[in-house]
Amino acid sequence: MTTAITEKFFELLRYTLGEQTDAPLISLEEWDVLNTMATEQSLLGVFYDGLQRLSKEVQLPEETVLLWFVQNEQIVGTNRAVDAAVIKVARRFAKRGYGCCLLKGQGNALMYPRPSARTSGDIDMWVMAPVRSLIHMAKKAMEDARPMYHHVEFCPVGDIPVEVHYRPSFMNNLIHDHRLQRWFRQMADSQCNHQVDLPDGVGTVGVPTNDFNRIFQMAHISNHVIHEGIGLRQLLDYYYLLKQGFTQEERLHDEELLRRFGLYTMAQAVMYVLKEAFGMKDTELLVKADERRGRFLLKEILTAGNFGQYDPRLADSHSQLAKNVQRLRRDVRFLRYFPSECLWEPIFRWYHFFWRLFH
């Protein structure tokens, strides 16, 4: 399944994470390819730490070190800007009396050995307010705000996009989604109250607890896998989440929740990738890895890149009909591995259509 350069990529990843002690042997030509792969997976900053460690053991090409240094500095600068923007968004809702919780993003970065190494994205803020109120607020702030089932676009902070969530994530299977949303509501207050300090003293914000994150982030991963694609960055977030540790009692409880929310098979696939690509030990995995599903997921990740942005199979079409056909083809391709979400996807699409008519 993996090519020689892909295996070098995984070796460097495992070496960077400390899961592999031997330094990989990489030629000048291979560094250029690895740089491209790291870019597609949004892992440049993380790999830069591995590069720093590697440079103490072997002589690296000067142009390679300089290129990765410049890219890392850009990632560090962007992280500082996003950290500051997160606090502005949180304070804006706090002034209105709404509790909020930062999902993913800068909260996940705090689990990394060097938070500024994580490539930042947009700001996803879970706000504890009625759905219609948040949509009204978003449209008032930005006329072209487009409400979706779980979030609505909000006015950006500078050039940093902001999404306001009334639901952290969702499932296509409406039965599983009902159970998941009820659990989210039960856990909401404890997430808002879990306050942490962002780097450089920019401020304090609520972020999910580890027990919540182990379920929520798997739902987030599942959602992106089924609908558009996922990258290794999101799985690295989950890697560092599991590295925070959990008890056997928590493992059994999480397994029960994953099954109840229709996330267990996806979790098995993710565990395979964490084991195969990241070098995680069986004792650190949340559930037992599934090789068949995991190999399929890993192939999709390597083909499509971060959030499916580099997927060569996606046609650049402006026709809604063409997009729907493309969507159905994806459902068929994934059906063998994740049947529940794929079979429910067309039904959820109609449900979402009518939901938007009333919101």
Side-chain angles (χ1 to χ4, degrees):
M1 171 185 167
T2 58
T3 63
I5 192 63
T6 302
E7 188 52 43
K8 285 281 183 73
F9 180 82
F10 290 152
E11 286 180 13
L12 182 59
L13 177 58
R14 292 190 289 265
Y15 178 79
T16 298
L17 298 176
E19 300 287 358
Q20 175 179 318
T21 55
D22 297 332
L25 299 176
I26 302 170
S27 68
L28 177 59
E29 294 75 17
E30 287 175 331
W31 275 116
D32 292 337
V33 179
L34 292 176
N35 183 277
T36 299
M37 295 177 71
T39 300
E40 292 178 351
Q41 300 296 335
S42 293
L43 292 178
L44 280 169
V46 174
F47 273 136
Y48 178 73
D49 289 343
L51 199 73
Q52 293 289 91
R53 181 181 165 204
L54 190 62
S55 64
K56 298 175 182 178
E57 302 183 27
V58 298
Q59 186 68 35
L60 296 176
E62 185 177 340
E63 57 268 34
T64 298
V65 176
L66 179 60
L67 173 63
W68 288 49
F69 170 79
V70 171
Q71 293 171 141
N72 175 72
E73 287 301 298
Q74 291 172 342
I75 293 170
V76 171
T78 302
N79 269 300
R80 290 198 188 102
V82 177
D83 284 338
V86 163
I87 300 304
K88 288 182 180 179
V89 174
R91 287 173 178 169
R92 180 170 186 173
F93 288 108
K95 287 180 180 178
R96 293 176 175 267
Y98 297 142
C100 60
C101 172
L102 175 66
L103 300 172
K104 313 184 303 287
Q106 304 309 101
N108 281 352
L110 296 176
M111 296 184 285
Y112 284 53
R114 181 170 67 93
S116 60
R118 184 184 184 275
T119 302
S120 59
D122 56 9
I123 296 172
D124 294 86
M125 194 68 74
W126 182 18
V127 181
M128 311 309 161
V131 175
R132 293 183 186 278
S133 296
L134 289 175
I135 293 176
H136 174 75
M137 192 187 309
K139 288 183 175 180
K140 187 176 180 180
M142 199 169 68
E143 290 185 6
D144 59 345
R146 187 167 176 259
M148 308 296 284
Y149 177 66
H150 64 309
H151 67 73
V152 62
E153 297 169 348
F154 206 72
C155 52
V157 179
D159 60 351
I160 302 169
V162 177
E163 291 179 354
V164 172
H165 286 248
Y166 17 87
R167 299 179 180 92
S169 190
F170 67 94
M171 302 294 291
N172 288 334
N173 183 317
L174 295 178
I175 298 172
H176 292 155
D177 185 62
H178 174 74
R179 296 170 181 169
L180 183 64
Q181 300 310 326
R182 183 168 58 185
W183 184 77
F184 283 154
R185 290 191 294 270
Q186 292 170 351
M187 300 289 287
D189 288 344
S190 58
Q191 307 315 302
C192 292
N193 294 331
H194 184 231
Q195 298 282 313
V196 298
D197 295 320
L198 292 185
D200 300 322
V202 295
T204 302
V205 67
V207 301
T209 57
N210 291 340
D211 59 336
F212 180 89
N213 251 339
R214 289 194 297 271
I215 304 301
F216 155 65
Q217 290 201 37
M218 188 57 67
H220 171 70
I221 290 170
S222 175
N223 190 287
H224 279 289
V225 168
I226 298 299
H227 289 96
E228 57 184 342
I230 200 76
L232 287 176
R233 183 188 67 168
Q234 287 70 39
L235 270 67
L236 184 58
D237 284 350
Y238 209 85
Y239 167 90
Y240 278 123
L241 173 61
L242 294 187
K243 283 290 186 177
Q244 305 304 302
F246 49 85
T247 65
Q248 180 62 18
E249 183 180 357
E250 288 174 323
R251 185 199 302 270
L252 294 174
H253 178 67
D254 289 350
E255 181 176 330
E256 180 182 347
L257 290 178
L258 291 169
R259 291 184 185 277
R260 182 167 176 75
F261 303 148
L263 290 165
Y264 187 74
T265 54
M266 183 62 71
Q268 287 184 300
V270 170
M271 294 305 112
Y272 174 84
V273 176
L274 295 183
K275 179 179 178 179
E276 182 73 13
F278 293 70
M280 212 166 197
K281 301 176 181 64
D282 286 332
T283 54
E284 298 173 308
L285 302 179
L286 190 59
V287 301
K288 185 177 180 180
D290 183 297
E291 182 176 357
R292 183 177 71 91
R293 291 187 174 91
R295 287 174 68 88
F296 172 78
L297 177 59
L298 186 54
K299 182 179 179 181
E300 286 291 319
I301 289 171
L302 294 175
T303 300
N306 192 51
F307 289 146
Q309 296 176 67
Y310 302 92
D311 195 337
R313 298 163 298 189
L314 296 181
D316 185 15
S317 173
H318 300 290
S319 164
Q320 189 59 47
L321 176 60
K323 290 179 181 178
N324 286 336
V325 171
Q326 190 168 269
R327 173 71 260 166
L328 289 173
R329 285 177 177 170
R330 186 178 183 88
D331 290 338
V332 171
R333 193 168 78 248
F334 280 66
L335 184 61
R336 289 177 53 203
Y337 304 96
F338 311 108
S340 175
E341 284 297 278
C342 293
L343 290 172
W344 275 86
E345 196 277 331
I347 299 171
F348 180 85
R349 207 181 321 167
W350 278 107
Y351 173 76
H352 190 207
F353 172 77
F354 286 109
W355 181 91
R356 291 189 65 199
L357 288 180
F358 293 96
H359 293 83

PDB file of all heavy atoms in Angstrom, residues 214-227:
ATOM      1  N   ARG A 214     -12.568  12.984  23.589  1.00  0.00           N
ATOM      2  CA  ARG A 214     -12.372  11.660  23.001  1.00  0.00           C
ATOM      3  C   ARG A 214     -13.583  11.233  22.174  1.00  0.00           C
ATOM      4  O   ARG A 214     -13.448  10.487  21.198  1.00  0.00           O
ATOM      5  CB  ARG A 214     -12.055  10.627  24.084  1.00  0.00           C
ATOM      6  CG  ARG A 214     -10.671  10.788  24.710  1.00  0.00           C
ATOM      7  CD  ARG A 214     -10.273   9.565  25.519  1.00  0.00           C
ATOM      8  NE  ARG A 214     -11.150   9.319  26.650  1.00  0.00           N
ATOM      9  CZ  ARG A 214     -10.977   9.826  27.876  1.00  0.00           C
ATOM     10  NH1 ARG A 214      -9.936  10.614  28.124  1.00  0.00           N
ATOM     11  NH2 ARG A 214     -11.819   9.543  28.854  1.00  0.00           N
ATOM     12  N   ILE A 215     -14.761  11.704  22.545  1.00  0.00           N
ATOM     13  CA  ILE A 215     -15.970  11.397  21.786  1.00  0.00           C
ATOM     14  C   ILE A 215     -16.210  12.452  20.709  1.00  0.00           C
ATOM     15  O   ILE A 215     -16.409  12.139  19.537  1.00  0.00           O
ATOM     16  CB  ILE A 215     -17.192  11.309  22.712  1.00  0.00           C
ATOM     17  CG1 ILE A 215     -16.955  10.272  23.824  1.00  0.00           C
ATOM     18  CG2 ILE A 215     -18.444  10.964  21.900  1.00  0.00           C
ATOM     19  CD1 ILE A 215     -16.671   8.872  23.334  1.00  0.00           C
ATOM     20  N   PHE A 216     -16.186  13.725  21.111  1.00  0.00           N
ATOM     21  CA  PHE A 216     -16.455  14.804  20.160  1.00  0.00           C
ATOM     22  C   PHE A 216     -15.493  14.782  18.973  1.00  0.00           C
ATOM     23  O   PHE A 216     -15.912  14.897  17.820  1.00  0.00           O
ATOM     24  CB  PHE A 216     -16.391  16.164  20.867  1.00  0.00           C
ATOM     25  CG  PHE A 216     -16.058  17.287  19.931  1.00  0.00           C
ATOM     26  CD1 PHE A 216     -16.941  17.643  18.916  1.00  0.00           C
ATOM     27  CD2 PHE A 216     -14.849  17.976  20.025  1.00  0.00           C
ATOM     28  CE1 PHE A 216     -16.627  18.664  18.017  1.00  0.00           C
ATOM     29  CE2 PHE A 216     -14.531  18.987  19.148  1.00  0.00           C
ATOM     30  CZ  PHE A 216     -15.427  19.327  18.135  1.00  0.00           C
ATOM     31  N   GLN A 217     -14.201  14.655  19.246  1.00  0.00           N
ATOM     32  CA  GLN A 217     -13.242  14.707  18.140  1.00  0.00           C
ATOM     33  C   GLN A 217     -13.363  13.496  17.224  1.00  0.00           C
ATOM     34  O   GLN A 217     -13.082  13.596  16.030  1.00  0.00           O
ATOM     35  CB  GLN A 217     -11.819  14.862  18.669  1.00  0.00           C
ATOM     36  CG  GLN A 217     -11.586  16.243  19.261  1.00  0.00           C
ATOM     37  CD  GLN A 217     -10.124  16.622  19.331  1.00  0.00           C
ATOM     38  OE1 GLN A 217      -9.335  16.297  18.457  1.00  0.00           O
ATOM     39  NE2 GLN A 217      -9.754  17.320  20.391  1.00  0.00           N
ATOM     40  N   MET A 218     -13.812  12.360  17.752  1.00  0.00           N
ATOM     41  CA  MET A 218     -14.057  11.226  16.874  1.00  0.00           C
ATOM     42  C   MET A 218     -15.269  11.506  15.984  1.00  0.00           C
ATOM     43  O   MET A 218     -15.282  11.136  14.797  1.00  0.00           O
ATOM     44  CB  MET A 218     -14.288   9.951  17.698  1.00  0.00           C
ATOM     45  CG  MET A 218     -14.357   8.670  16.857  1.00  0.00           C
ATOM     46  SD  MET A 218     -12.865   8.400  15.850  1.00  0.00           S
ATOM     47  CE  MET A 218     -11.653   8.092  17.140  1.00  0.00           C
ATOM     48  N   ALA A 219     -16.283  12.178  16.519  1.00  0.00           N
ATOM     49  CA  ALA A 219     -17.436  12.576  15.700  1.00  0.00           C
ATOM     50  C   ALA A 219     -16.996  13.575  14.627  1.00  0.00           C
ATOM     51  O   ALA A 219     -17.452  13.516  13.477  1.00  0.00           O
ATOM     52  CB  ALA A 219     -18.522  13.183  16.583  1.00  0.00           C
ATOM     53  N   HIS A 220     -16.115  14.490  15.007  1.00  0.00           N
ATOM     54  CA  HIS A 220     -15.583  15.475  14.055  1.00  0.00           C
ATOM     55  C   HIS A 220     -14.800  14.784  12.936  1.00  0.00           C
ATOM     56  O   HIS A 220     -14.983  15.097  11.748  1.00  0.00           O
ATOM     57  CB  HIS A 220     -14.694  16.462  14.802  1.00  0.00           C
ATOM     58  CG  HIS A 220     -13.918  17.382  13.925  1.00  0.00           C
ATOM     59  ND1 HIS A 220     -14.496  18.387  13.186  1.00  0.00           N
ATOM     60  CD2 HIS A 220     -12.581  17.440  13.644  1.00  0.00           C
ATOM     61  CE1 HIS A 220     -13.569  19.038  12.500  1.00  0.00           C
ATOM     62  NE2 HIS A 220     -12.405  18.479  12.750  1.00  0.00           N
ATOM     63  N   ILE A 221     -13.953  13.852  13.300  1.00  0.00           N
ATOM     64  CA  ILE A 221     -13.178  13.098  12.315  1.00  0.00           C
ATOM     65  C   ILE A 221     -14.109  12.335  11.396  1.00  0.00           C
ATOM     66  O   ILE A 221     -13.967  12.368  10.165  1.00  0.00           O
ATOM     67  CB  ILE A 221     -12.194  12.142  13.015  1.00  0.00           C
ATOM     68  CG1 ILE A 221     -11.073  12.935  13.700  1.00  0.00           C
ATOM     69  CG2 ILE A 221     -11.611  11.130  12.023  1.00  0.00           C
ATOM     70  CD1 ILE A 221     -10.184  12.100  14.605  1.00  0.00           C
ATOM     71  N   SER A 222     -15.081  11.643  11.970  1.00  0.00           N
ATOM     72  CA  SER A 222     -16.041  10.857  11.179  1.00  0.00           C
ATOM     73  C   SER A 222     -16.777  11.743  10.185  1.00  0.00           C
ATOM     74  O   SER A 222     -16.925  11.395   9.008  1.00  0.00           O
ATOM     75  CB  SER A 222     -17.039  10.165  12.110  1.00  0.00           C
ATOM     76  OG  SER A 222     -18.036   9.493  11.375  1.00  0.00           O
ATOM     77  N   ASN A 223     -17.221  12.892  10.658  1.00  0.00           N
ATOM     78  CA  ASN A 223     -17.958  13.816   9.803  1.00  0.00           C
ATOM     79  C   ASN A 223     -17.142  14.228   8.590  1.00  0.00           C
ATOM     80  O   ASN A 223     -17.623  14.224   7.453  1.00  0.00           O
ATOM     81  CB  ASN A 223     -18.358  15.045  10.636  1.00  0.00           C
ATOM     82  CG  ASN A 223     -19.325  15.950   9.929  1.00  0.00           C
ATOM     83  OD1 ASN A 223     -18.940  16.652   9.000  1.00  0.00           O
ATOM     84  ND2 ASN A 223     -20.564  15.961  10.367  1.00  0.00           N
ATOM     85  N   HIS A 224     -15.882  14.574   8.805  1.00  0.00           N
ATOM     86  CA  HIS A 224     -15.034  15.011   7.696  1.00  0.00           C
ATOM     87  C   HIS A 224     -14.636  13.853   6.788  1.00  0.00           C
ATOM     88  O   HIS A 224     -14.526  14.035   5.572  1.00  0.00           O
ATOM     89  CB  HIS A 224     -13.798  15.736   8.229  1.00  0.00           C
ATOM     90  CG  HIS A 224     -14.061  17.157   8.594  1.00  0.00           C
ATOM     91  ND1 HIS A 224     -14.298  18.136   7.661  1.00  0.00           N
ATOM     92  CD2 HIS A 224     -14.164  17.768   9.805  1.00  0.00           C
ATOM     93  CE1 HIS A 224     -14.510  19.296   8.268  1.00  0.00           C
ATOM     94  NE2 HIS A 224     -14.434  19.098   9.567  1.00  0.00           N
ATOM     95  N   VAL A 225     -14.399  12.685   7.356  1.00  0.00           N
ATOM     96  CA  VAL A 225     -14.068  11.526   6.535  1.00  0.00           C
ATOM     97  C   VAL A 225     -15.195  11.239   5.557  1.00  0.00           C
ATOM     98  O   VAL A 225     -14.985  11.046   4.358  1.00  0.00           O
ATOM     99  CB  VAL A 225     -13.796  10.284   7.410  1.00  0.00           C
ATOM    100  CG1 VAL A 225     -13.751   9.017   6.556  1.00  0.00           C
ATOM    101  CG2 VAL A 225     -12.474  10.440   8.158  1.00  0.00           C
ATOM    102  N   ILE A 226     -16.417  11.222   6.044  1.00  0.00           N
ATOM    103  CA  ILE A 226     -17.577  10.870   5.218  1.00  0.00           C
ATOM    104  C   ILE A 226     -17.881  11.963   4.199  1.00  0.00           C
ATOM    105  O   ILE A 226     -18.193  11.678   3.042  1.00  0.00           O
ATOM    106  CB  ILE A 226     -18.819  10.610   6.098  1.00  0.00           C
ATOM    107  CG1 ILE A 226     -18.564   9.416   7.036  1.00  0.00           C
ATOM    108  CG2 ILE A 226     -20.052  10.364   5.237  1.00  0.00           C
ATOM    109  CD1 ILE A 226     -18.277   8.106   6.333  1.00  0.00           C
ATOM    110  N   HIS A 227     -17.761  13.227   4.583  1.00  0.00           N
ATOM    111  CA  HIS A 227     -18.239  14.303   3.723  1.00  0.00           C
ATOM    112  C   HIS A 227     -17.197  14.907   2.793  1.00  0.00           C
ATOM    113  O   HIS A 227     -17.537  15.327   1.687  1.00  0.00           O
ATOM    114  CB  HIS A 227     -18.850  15.423   4.580  1.00  0.00           C
ATOM    115  CG  HIS A 227     -20.142  15.045   5.208  1.00  0.00           C
ATOM    116  ND1 HIS A 227     -20.224  14.567   6.493  1.00  0.00           N
ATOM    117  CD2 HIS A 227     -21.404  15.033   4.722  1.00  0.00           C
ATOM    118  CE1 HIS A 227     -21.492  14.294   6.779  1.00  0.00           C
ATOM    119  NE2 HIS A 227     -22.221  14.567   5.727  1.00  0.00           N
TER     120      HIS A 227
END
